[in-house]
């Protein structure tokens, strides 16, 4: 048994998974799974650098995570940084700050590696639902969305990352509260162009199984299921029809931020950006002519942990 820790630092949130890996049974058992919304990528699309406030929020979370690592006696740690960290001019300041607080150097990984880690994490919990068929996994983050196609038996066949995410779309287009029709049209043009780019590398027509993961997707699923509170067990493996994806997306985009904050399944750190994430999911469903989305609560964090397990 090996105890590993995976840290995923994205545009909107930083997350920690501490898990026990049983190499004989090939199981991953959660010890700690937590998330903090630090909005590291705030303003990056406009300025090209991390703000001092965003770095301090992220470093504060790292200090709290360091205590968790010490408390739980972790054997190995891997810290992965994704979209926002690929785009900035002051990356060294971020890397040094994380290293000082956690004692590990963050890896700023490519979009393609992010896609592969997300695929392995998602597929690990949904193998029975997917079977031997090819699946398209989409990971909608704060700054980027990863498209990856593959099978449970053979792994990744094709992967591509594009610069659309819930934070980036909100900052770039959906600034009114609620967004105007003109802003929505502009966002859709941007999203569709990115989907076209992804489709040139990952053929969306090669599979009828769409697997969605990360907070935008799971929140849409929670609303579609009409859950009284956020329930990861009920959400994982659920199937949300294309009709329900459209219904929930339209509802979210018509609401004010204050109204979205009152939804019982809504994480406070997602209130202002969930409309952008839902819109990305909806456009993927439409452009790929998918009937439904198979939802995974497991993602890049699990993929990082499995990679550590060797």
């Amino acid at each position: 048994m090996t105890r590993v820790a995976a840290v995923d630092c994205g545009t909107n949130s930083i997350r920690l998974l501490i898990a026990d890996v049983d190499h004989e049974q090939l199981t991953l058992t959660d010890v700690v799974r937590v998330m903090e919304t630090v909005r590291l990528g705030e303003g990056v699309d406009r300025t090209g650098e991390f703000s001092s406030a965003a770095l301090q929020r992220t470093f504060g979370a790292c200090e709290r995570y360091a205590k968790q690592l010490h408390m739980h006696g972790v054997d190995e740690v891997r810290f992965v940084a994704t979209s926002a960290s690929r785009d900035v001019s002051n990356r060294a300041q971020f890397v040094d700050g994380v290293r000082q607080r956690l004692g590990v150097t963050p890896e700023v990984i490519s979009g393609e590696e992010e896609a592969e880690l997300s695929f392995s994490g998602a597929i690990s919990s949904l193998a029975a639902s997917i079977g031997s068929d090819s699946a398209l996994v989409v990971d909608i983050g704060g700054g980027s969305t990863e498209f990856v196609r593959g099978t449970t038996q053979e792994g990744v066949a094709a992967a591509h990352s594009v610069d659309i995410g819930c934070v980036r779309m909100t900052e770039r287009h959906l600034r009114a509260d609620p967004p105007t029709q003109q802003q929505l049209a502009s966002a859709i043009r941007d999203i569709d162009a990115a989907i076209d780019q992804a489709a040139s590398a990952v053929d969306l027509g090669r599979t009828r199984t769409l697997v969605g993961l990360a907070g935008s997707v799971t929140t849409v699923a929670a609303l579609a299921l009409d859950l009284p509170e956020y329930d990861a067990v009920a959400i994982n493996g659920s199937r949300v029809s294309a009709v329900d994806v459209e219904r929930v997306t339209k509802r979210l985009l018509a609401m004010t931020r204050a109204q979205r904050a009152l939804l019982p399944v809504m994480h406070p750190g997602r209130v202002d950006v969930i409309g952008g994430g839902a819109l990305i999911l909806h456009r993927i469903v439409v452009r790929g002519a998918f009937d439904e989305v198979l939802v995974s609560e497991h993602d890049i964090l699990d993929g990082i942990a499995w990679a550590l397990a060797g």
Side-chain angles (χ1 to χ4, degrees):
M1 189 84 72
T2 304
R3 179 159 290 182
V4 301
V7 182
D8 166 40
C9 186
T11 301
N12 194 44
S13 63
I14 182 169
R15 302 180 301 145
L16 169 68
L17 169 63
I18 298 175
D20 288 330
V21 180
D22 188 320
H23 296 273
E24 293 184 1
Q25 300 296 321
L26 296 178
T27 58
L28 192 71
T29 304
D30 286 15
V31 177
V32 171
R33 190 184 289 260
V34 292
M35 178 187 86
E36 293 194 31
T37 302
V38 294
R39 198 61 59 83
L40 176 62
E42 184 175 47
V44 164
D45 192 56
R46 176 177 52 84
T47 66
E49 65 179 19
F50 292 135
S51 71
S52 176
L55 285 171
Q56 291 310 309
R57 290 193 297 267
T58 304
F59 294 157
C62 288
E63 291 168 0
R64 290 184 286 277
Y65 287 177
K67 293 177 182 178
Q68 295 268 17
L69 298 180
H70 177 72
M71 182 189 309
H72 292 285
V74 172
D75 299 310
E76 295 183 71
V77 182
R78 185 180 181 189
F79 186 117
V80 164
T82 54
S83 175
S85 303
R86 293 192 287 264
D87 301 338
V88 294
S89 59
N90 58 342
R91 183 192 301 177
Q93 185 179 356
F94 164 71
V95 170
D96 290 344
V98 171
R99 187 190 297 119
Q100 290 170 14
R101 290 162 175 82
L102 283 176
V104 60
T105 300
E107 302 173 46
V108 181
I109 61 172
S110 69
E112 284 65 34
E113 185 175 359
E114 182 179 357
E116 292 182 9
L117 287 169
S118 295
F119 182 85
S120 64
I123 293 300
S124 65
S125 70
L126 296 177
S129 299
I130 296 169
S132 59
D133 294 337
S134 176
L136 175 68
V137 172
V138 292
D139 181 354
I140 302 172
S144 67
T145 294
E146 283 63 53
F147 292 73
V148 53
R149 180 174 52 79
T151 65
T152 55
Q153 292 83 7
E154 298 178 6
V156 174
H160 193 71
S161 177
V162 291
D163 285 338
I164 53 170
C166 60
V167 174
R168 200 184 294 268
M169 289 300 96
T170 301
E171 290 185 350
R172 189 181 293 177
H173 301 289
L174 309 177
R175 293 183 290 272
D177 184 28
T180 66
Q181 288 303 309
Q182 184 177 3
Q183 289 174 347
L184 289 171
S186 178
I188 289 171
R189 285 194 297 271
D190 202 356
I191 293 167
D192 284 358
I195 294 172
D196 288 341
Q197 179 188 339
S200 67
V202 182
D203 188 349
L204 305 188
R206 292 285 296 273
T207 176
R208 301 314 312 145
T209 301
L210 174 64
V211 179
L213 49 143
S216 291
V217 177
T218 58
T219 301
V220 168
L223 291 168
L225 295 169
D226 198 24
L227 298 178
E229 60 184 11
Y230 194 93
D231 183 344
V233 174
I235 292 167
N236 190 58
S238 64
R239 295 177 184 270
V240 180
S241 71
V243 171
D244 279 343
V245 170
E246 180 178 19
R247 174 179 60 82
V248 171
T249 299
K250 287 182 175 178
R251 178 188 176 195
L252 288 169
L253 290 169
M255 299 173 84
T256 64
R257 292 172 184 173
Q259 289 170 330
R260 292 196 294 268
L262 296 176
L263 297 171
V265 300
M266 187 66 62
H267 189 281
R270 214 171 300 285
V271 168
D272 58 334
V273 296
I274 183 61
L279 186 60
I280 293 169
L281 176 62
H282 174 52
R283 294 311 299 170
I284 293 170
V285 169
V286 170
R287 296 297 298 280
F290 292 103
D291 296 326
E292 63 181 11
V293 183
L294 176 60
V295 181
S296 176
E297 274 282 349
H298 299 273
D299 50 33
I300 189 172
L301 266 181
D302 302 78
I304 297 166
W306 281 116
L308 273 175

